[in-house]
Amino acid sequence: MIDSLRAARRLLLRRDVRSSVLIVILVACGPSSSGSPPDSPPPACFADSDCGLGMRCEGGTCIDNNCGGESLELTYVPPNLLLVLDRSCSMRQIPATATMSKWQIAVDSIKQVITSYANDIRWGLTLFPDKTLAECTQQDFAFPLADGNGPGIQALLTNALVATDPLYPRDPCVTNIDTGLTQAATDPALSDPARQSYLMLITDGAQSNGCTAGGGDAGAEMAVQQLFSHGIKTFVIGFGGAVDAVQLNKMAVAGGTPQSGTTKYFRADTAGELDMAFASIADQVIGCSYLVDPPPEDLAQTYVWFEKTELVPRDLTHMAGWDYDPATQLITLYGMYCDRLRTHVVDTVDVIFGCPSPPVL
């Protein structure tokens, strides 16, 4: 029995799911014997109380209650979320129930959600219309998806609140949703196999009749449909009452994110509703994937626990449980298990390699 325990290998990793901080706890089995050679040092322990937490005394040596093991690194992989933001002239308007312009409200909400989810999401930003090519077309890409973009995006949008800033909603006065989306789809980071990717469209108006460079309404719908066919969902937010509700509904369905009820997109008519839409979307995209490096040697000896008491099943169908992808070295949780992580119902996750017993308390 002792030899079997000594031969097992175990890694215990604890992560507080409310942050991206990983706590790695490594314990290793010590030798066990029924006696000591005459020239051996004095026993390290005489009772379990002489050992640390999660250890027991056996044959004069403190050993781990849960098999022992080696340390591997487990790192949270944040998903991509690319903001596709309308900066058309109508964003300067002040809603009837507000004291700030739609542009000010949108900028404040975006800055707030980036701060709230700074470590949970990998951010990117493009704005339409841009300032370089002819109106209705796009060339400038403010922030392609990358690590550490949050502060830069916040600074750019803060500067764009000033009327003299080039990105302040002024001109050209068109709403080119089609080319805004087709440009966003060119970001190479969206095709990164190691992380989930999403778009968030924020607009306060309808596609301009004279803008057809990206196919108009049909082109915008096709753009999000093609992204969805590659596993990239698009969330659609209509801000204010001047949007084309019919077209935004179509894009929400094509993008794979229809809401329940007759309004399929996120309708936000006030600052509070816009804040809630951003937070709801951010909660939905928070990932449940973790890079394991070096990879586990034997998945049959890999065990995932919630709160040190609930064994999470491995699920090859990706409906409810965990699975490992050797191509990306990612362990991912799916279904209700991922939902419980996203909503902070679960505080800790433990992954054990080597033996199925629960983690030490």
Side-chain angles (χ1 to χ4, degrees):
M1 178 65 175
I2 299 302
D3 290 341
S4 174
L5 288 174
R6 290 172 57 195
R9 302 164 60 230
R10 194 268 312 182
L11 167 67
L12 169 63
L13 303 105
R14 293 189 57 200
R15 184 183 70 85
D16 183 342
V17 297
R18 299 179 188 273
S19 71
S20 56
V21 176
L22 174 69
I23 306 171
V24 181
I25 305 174
L26 173 65
V27 286
C29 293
S32 174
S33 62
S34 57
S36 301
D39 57 349
S40 63
C45 61
F46 295 95
D48 292 348
S49 59
D50 296 331
C51 303
L53 182 66
M55 309 290 285
R56 71 177 184 273
C57 183
E58 187 167 312
T61 300
C62 292
I63 66 172
D64 173 35
N65 277 330
N66 284 303
C67 308
E70 64 176 297
S71 177
L72 302 178
E73 184 178 0
L74 189 69
T75 307
Y76 171 66
V77 179
N80 288 322
L81 181 53
L82 178 56
L83 306 176
V84 185
L85 178 61
D86 186 346
R87 56 163 294 276
S88 59
C89 294
S90 59
M91 289 291 281
R92 300 199 307 263
Q93 297 171 358
I94 299 176
T97 58
T99 58
M100 299 190 301
S101 70
K102 288 184 283 187
W103 182 245
Q104 290 172 303
I105 293 170
V107 167
D108 284 353
S109 291
I110 292 172
K111 290 168 61 178
Q112 177 178 311
V113 75
I114 288 176
T115 296
S116 298
Y117 296 85
N119 296 320
D120 300 308
I121 295 173
R122 195 170 181 247
W123 299 95
L125 171 70
T126 186
L127 303 99
F128 65 92
D130 72 6
K131 300 286 292 183
T132 303
L133 300 180
E135 64 181 28
C136 300
T137 59
Q138 292 286 118
Q139 176 175 301
D140 302 333
F141 207 127
F143 280 91
L145 289 158
D147 294 331
N149 270 351
I153 292 173
Q154 291 173 315
L156 178 145
L157 292 176
T158 298
N159 292 337
L161 292 171
V162 180
T164 55
D165 189 84
L167 293 178
Y168 180 78
R170 187 173 42 251
D171 59 289
C173 284
V174 296
T175 304
N176 52 316
I177 299 173
D178 57 349
T179 49
L181 287 168
T182 54
Q183 180 199 41
T186 65
D187 190 330
L190 292 173
S191 59
D192 182 354
R195 68 185 77 233
Q196 291 291 317
S197 294
Y198 305 87
L199 265 64
M200 185 197 298
L201 169 67
I202 309 107
T203 183
D204 78 323
Q207 176 81 19
S208 295
N209 289 332
C211 289
T212 58
D217 284 338
E221 187 177 348
M222 182 178 295
V224 297
Q225 189 173 45
Q226 289 178 341
L227 285 167
F228 184 53
S229 71
H230 291 91
I232 302 166
K233 294 182 179 181
T234 299
F235 295 92
V236 179
I237 298 179
F239 185 29
V243 300
D244 183 343
V246 172
Q247 182 58 25
L248 294 190
N249 276 342
K250 290 181 179 179
M251 285 194 288
V253 172
T257 61
Q259 306 303 294
S260 60
T262 57
T263 302
K264 301 302 182 184
Y265 63 94
F266 286 84
R267 178 176 174 176
D269 293 332
T270 66
E273 290 173 348
L274 189 61
D275 288 341
M276 287 190 293
F278 283 159
S280 175
I281 292 169
D283 282 339
Q284 292 181 56
V285 307
I286 290 176
C288 297
S289 295
Y290 309 92
L291 178 68
V292 183
D293 186 23
E297 296 178 6
D298 185 0
L299 293 180
Q301 297 298 312
T302 301
Y303 305 93
V304 178
W305 292 83
F306 276 1
E307 304 292 359
K308 301 182 181 298
T309 58
E310 180 183 359
L311 185 62
V312 180
R314 187 180 179 197
D315 179 19
L316 300 180
T317 68
H318 298 176
M319 298 296 293
W322 68 271
D323 198 13
Y324 176 75
D325 179 8
T328 59
Q329 294 183 211
L330 294 179
I331 280 182
T332 302
L333 290 113
Y334 297 95
M336 64 178 181
Y337 296 100
C338 183
D339 292 341
R340 290 163 66 190
L341 285 173
R342 287 171 169 166
T343 57
H344 309 306
V345 172
V346 172
D347 288 328
T348 59
V349 179
D350 296 283
V351 180
I352 299 179
F353 296 93
C355 61
S357 57
V360 294
L361 298 176

